[in-house]
Amino acid sequence: MIEKPLTPADVEFVSTLHGDDQGSFVVLMQPRGKQDVLLRAIDDVALGEFDDAVREGAETTAELPVERALTHTLTALRATGAEAVGQVVEEHPLDLLQSVVEQTHADEVIVLTTPHFVEEFFHRDWASRARHKVGVPVLKLFAHAPDDPVNDAP
């Protein structure tokens, strides 16, 4: 489960989590919506990213449309040799996640998002909520920012 396209560092990380075992991925993408602008601004302040907090809620043209973002992520995962399918989730992501886990007999769920401190503190983030719903281990990972130095490493 993701909220924005995976960076090259994210793709490498999730595709090598289990060593040389070739994985398959069902990617559910639900981008952060306008409904949580205040929570994102508080998270930005908690991280010391004051400029981001001020701009929170402003429309950006740099972000890919969600369908293109999902296609980008699936293409990157497939380039590692993994099988990857996915879909954009409009509502009730945890209900769909539970259904996908049951249908595919998934071994684990990976929730890869940016930090959301307010939601995490109150255990209202996707990973915390999924742990009570899906019946398989849930691994919570933090996504690399596009300007993260890890992504620039050779």
Side-chain angles (χ1 to χ4, degrees):
M1 182 170 253
I2 61 174
E3 61 190 13
K4 60 184 178 180
L6 299 185
T7 65
D10 295 330
V11 170
E12 180 180 350
F13 189 52
V14 299
S15 64
T16 60
L17 275 173
H18 300 289
D20 293 333
D21 292 343
Q22 202 60 265
S24 64
F25 298 90
V26 177
V27 179
L28 302 180
M29 181 171 194
Q30 185 180 46
R32 301 287 284 189
K34 292 186 182 294
Q35 71 275 13
D36 62 358
V37 171
L38 177 61
L39 290 175
R40 291 194 319 253
I42 292 170
D43 287 341
D44 290 338
V45 169
L47 289 168
E49 297 171 352
F50 302 110
D51 290 340
D52 289 343
V54 171
R55 287 191 299 268
E56 204 62 70
E59 295 295 322
T60 66
T61 56
E63 293 184 26
L64 291 173
V66 67
E67 293 82 11
R68 283 187 39 210
L70 177 62
T71 300
H72 167 81
T73 294
L74 295 175
T75 301
L77 287 169
R78 290 176 187 140
T80 69
E83 294 179 29
V85 296
Q87 72 182 74
V88 173
V89 181
E90 298 296 330
E91 295 181 18
H92 309 293
L94 296 176
D95 292 340
L96 180 58
L97 179 62
Q98 181 179 18
S99 173
V100 168
V101 167
E102 291 170 357
Q103 292 172 5
T104 63
H105 306 288
D107 295 325
E108 71 182 344
V109 168
I110 299 172
V111 176
L112 191 128
T113 66
T114 55
H116 303 295
F117 295 114
V118 174
E119 292 167 317
E120 291 165 21
F121 180 78
F122 292 106
H123 302 283
R124 300 302 304 155
D125 59 298
W126 286 343
S128 296
R129 293 169 53 204
R131 286 186 183 106
H132 299 286
K133 191 160 186 124
V134 298
V136 298
V138 176
L139 179 60
K140 178 180 180 175
L141 302 174
F142 290 124
H144 292 86
D147 58 348
D148 191 326
V150 173
N151 295 327
D152 298 331

